[in-house]
Amino acid sequence: MAEAKRIDGKAFAGGLRERIGKAVAVLKETHGFTPGLAVVLVGEDPASQVYVRSKGKQTVEAGMNSYEHKFDKDASEAEVLAMIEKLNNDDNVHGILVQLPLPKHIDETKVINSVSPDKDVDGFHVVNAGRLATGQAALTSCTPVGCVMLAKDVLGNLSGLEAVVVGRSNIVGKPVAQLLLAENCTVTIAHSRTKDLDEVCRRADILIAAVGRPQMVKGSWVKPGACVIDVGINRIDGENGKTRLVGDVDFDEAVNVAGSITPVPGGVGPMTIACLLRNTVQAACMINNVDVPEM
Ligand code: NAP
């Protein structure tokens, strides 16, 4: 069988950022507002610092305003909540993102739910999760939106397809399953207690792996011709004492069975920030009572 089409998330995300930039220019010109994204970072986690830097850079490149609020790792929960309250009331801020994980002494759920649902561009607030689950307009978690955009780009209409999502986290597994259901897929959500996981996966026309276990999904678990979307980002030992990134799917095996597949890196990963920018434009339009432009 021929090798699967490699889904180029980096190129797709680049195109999406360009369309977002154009939409932002129109909003400025026609409606006189500039979408603004505020990121709150607590502590010095190196990976979080890298993410926050790229978010800021890409926000500015898309013509939007970027605000960063950094706190020491010992900052109190009350200080962080006070900052979020201030941002909730700031008319220049349309999106608020609290970089996770937070230090252990801060209640993550409480902080997430203190963000105004209208500015919750991460889509983690319980109100947005509820809106998504009940088919109402919602700000939806960025990585799941990115997964479904890539699947639709390759497959077109997803209606009637069998989708299997491995993983049931609130930030990836559950929202991606809801989005696929909204696309009229028949959705199975698998997790650590699922029996005969390989057989369940083999039913999938669209297989989404969001597990956090390096190369767990083997080629023999993939239905020939399926679209495989690998959300996993795992660092493993590579050659010459260096580490390398791999997904939750054994790419080298699955690429010989699937019809299309996202690589890691360069697949789902780049979509997350692009979808965050898209959500910020969406939030800004909703706050300003303006139709959300095509992006
Ligand atoms: P998570 O919160 O740890 O959830 C993992 C899920 O996988 C859980 O539902 C768990 O089941 C399930 N699971 C664990 N071991 C399993 C097994 N052996 N068989 C079947 N299911 C199993 O992880 P997450 O936050 O959803 O993230 C998943 C992966 O995506 C990670 O590699 C993460 O780094 C990556 N990620 C990437 C992006 C991005 O590309 N930008 C964004 C977010 C996450 P139970 O519920 O039964 O425990």
Side-chain angles (χ1 to χ4, degrees):
M1 194 169 170
E3 275 204 356
K5 172 187 162 63
R6 286 160 205 245
I7 301 172
D8 189 345
K10 198 171 167 199
F12 191 96
L16 177 57
R17 286 199 307 272
E18 224 169 87
R19 296 194 294 279
I20 292 168
K22 286 185 182 146
V24 169
V26 170
L27 291 175
K28 282 187 197 177
E29 179 88 17
T30 318
H31 299 285
F33 68 87
T34 303
L37 172 66
V39 177
V40 177
L41 174 65
V42 187
E44 286 93 36
D45 177 58
S48 294
Q49 285 179 331
V50 172
Y51 286 137
V52 168
R53 260 200 306 278
S54 339
K55 282 168 189 167
K57 185 168 168 272
Q58 294 187 30
T59 304
V60 171
E61 280 169 3
M64 298 194 261
N65 292 326
S66 165
Y67 310 97
E68 279 177 23
H69 298 279
K70 294 186 178 167
F71 288 90
D72 188 80
K73 66 179 184 341
D74 300 319
S76 70
E77 186 179 284
E79 279 177 88
V80 176
L81 290 173
M83 172 54 74
I84 291 171
E85 184 59 21
K86 198 169 149 213
L87 297 171
N88 281 340
N89 294 312
D90 184 337
D91 290 343
N92 293 316
V93 171
H94 306 97
I96 303 171
L97 179 142
V98 181
Q99 184 64 45
L100 302 179
L102 290 169
K104 294 266 175 294
H105 65 278
I106 298 181
D107 181 342
E108 229 162 67
T109 307
K110 191 170 171 187
V111 168
I112 288 169
N113 286 331
S114 74
V115 173
S116 160
D118 297 339
K119 296 189 177 184
D120 167 41
V121 283
D122 243 345
F124 293 166
H125 194 290
V126 67
V127 165
N128 279 314
R131 284 179 182 155
L132 174 65
T134 51
Q136 298 175 55
L139 289 167
T140 306
S141 331
C142 307
T143 304
V145 170
C147 292
V148 174
M149 274 187 169
L150 292 179
K152 283 175 77 171
D153 187 51
V154 182
L155 299 174
N157 190 352
L158 307 186
S159 182
L161 296 181
E162 285 275 349
V164 173
V165 179
V166 191
R168 57 173 164 180
S169 71
N170 289 337
I171 62 166
V172 189
K174 282 180 196 152
V176 86
Q178 293 288 357
L179 288 170
L180 290 165
L181 191 58
E183 294 291 336
N184 298 315
C185 292
T186 303
V187 183
T188 303
I189 306 178
H191 46 78
S192 66
R193 313 294 166 88
T194 298
K195 288 186 184 139
D196 303 321
L197 183 58
D198 55 337
E199 268 177 41
V200 173
C201 289
R202 265 193 300 276
R203 292 207 301 259
D205 300 310
I206 305 170
L207 179 58
I208 312 247
V211 190
R213 299 200 181 268
Q215 301 165 316
M216 186 187 86
V217 175
K218 299 297 168 198
S220 61
W221 299 21
V222 175
K223 177 176 170 177
C227 171
V228 178
I229 306 282
D230 189 352
V231 185
I233 303 177
N234 310 288
R235 199 165 275 287
I236 62 166
D237 291 337
E239 281 168 15
N240 306 325
K242 291 190 177 150
T243 60
R244 67 186 180 104
L245 288 184
V246 295
D248 291 341
V249 176
D250 189 325
F251 184 90
D252 292 343
E253 287 185 13
V255 75
N256 294 311
V257 189
S260 51
I261 184 166
T262 57
V264 176
V268 173
M271 291 299 290
T272 299
I273 298 184
C275 291
L276 171 69
L277 305 182
R278 186 173 175 267
N279 275 356
T280 305
V281 173
Q282 193 184 329
C285 289
M286 289 185 333
I287 289 168
N288 285 288
N289 260 323
V290 164
D291 287 342
V292 180
E294 277 296 315
M295 286 176 278

